Amino acid sequence: MDRKGRSLHDASLRVMSLVLLMGGVGFCQSDEQDTDLPIFKRNYSVLNFIDVNTYKEIDCSAENYEDITWYKDGLRFPFGWDEDKLQDMGISLDSRNQTLTLRRAETGTEGNYTCVVSNQNGSIRRDLELRVIANEWIHEPILAFDSHCGERITHIGSNITFTCKFFVGPNGDEAVASWYYEEKSQLEGKESQLPQGGHHHHLVWIYMRELNYTRYEVPNLWMDGKLLVVSLDIFNVTEPALGTYVLMVSNGIEPAAYHRITLSSRHRMPNGIGQFPIKGRQKIVP
């Protein structure tokens, strides 16, 4: 890899570290949310990649709010720019301050955006990092955090779906993905290559797992704009289906991206509910 490639590779690692830190905060959800505070209407990704000179909307729509304030790299809107500069860069807010529009993204619009939504009872905030791509994508996939791609708690006998999205570059049709289960015993399988280290667990392709009652399905990969969407459906969750799943995504540039997701159970269902056999086995597409 040449000097430019190493530089972008190192930068992507720093971005991934930032996403991990921000993602853990950006999608933290509580069952006891204060309903007197504003509420965001939609989930979002804390890291966005767009091509130079393309159109982008940053959404901060909310309910039960009185005021929305926008910041870029710590500077309040208009981010230190005068009206002529905003017009030249194609930056504007809608009439309710809920959507920031970038009509022609350029390197100057790259940065960290924050919207603070408030009412008389308090405020909530949303942070987003925007990266503008002017050159060819030459690094591995980067996870765009989503509320359906993190730790999940469910009930025995229920169905659950994990959906993860990755930035994979312009050749998304060449990307591949596989789901594994992290065995905590020394079973024959694929040794863990995850970066955390210190683990001697094995990754077993989910299709190779012998489960009598739980069924896995992996829908076909598809592109949502610039994001590769990878899903895993788990039908009739049983005790052996609980644990840690590992998603591997590759776009042909090493190393591949690995992402851990933990599935746990809040309560056990009584009297063997959810323990009914499922006939047949459906092939999992890696």
Side-chain angles (χ1 to χ4, degrees), residues 66-83 85-86 91-93 96-97 100 112-118 123 125:
E66 297 173 1
D67 182 68
I68 299 179
T69 305
W70 288 85
Y71 299 86
K72 177 183 181 294
D73 299 327
L75 295 177
R76 186 169 179 170
F77 184 85
F79 314 140
W81 298 323
D82 59 26
E83 189 65 30
K85 179 67 171 178
L86 289 178
I91 299 176
S92 63
L93 285 171
R96 302 183 65 186
N97 278 7
L100 179 68
N112 297 298
Y113 290 83
T114 300
C115 65
V116 178
V117 182
S118 58
S123 62
R125 60 182 287 165

Side-chain angles (χ1 to χ4, degrees), residues 36-40 60-69 76 95-98 116-124:
D36 292 331
L37 290 174
I39 301 174
F40 288 119
C60 197
S61 55
E63 298 176 349
N64 193 31
Y65 78 97
E66 297 173 1
D67 182 68
I68 299 179
T69 305
R76 186 169 179 170
S95 59
R96 302 183 65 186
N97 278 7
Q98 296 192 80
V116 178
V117 182
S118 58
N119 62 18
Q120 61 182 355
N121 298 305
S123 62
I124 57 177

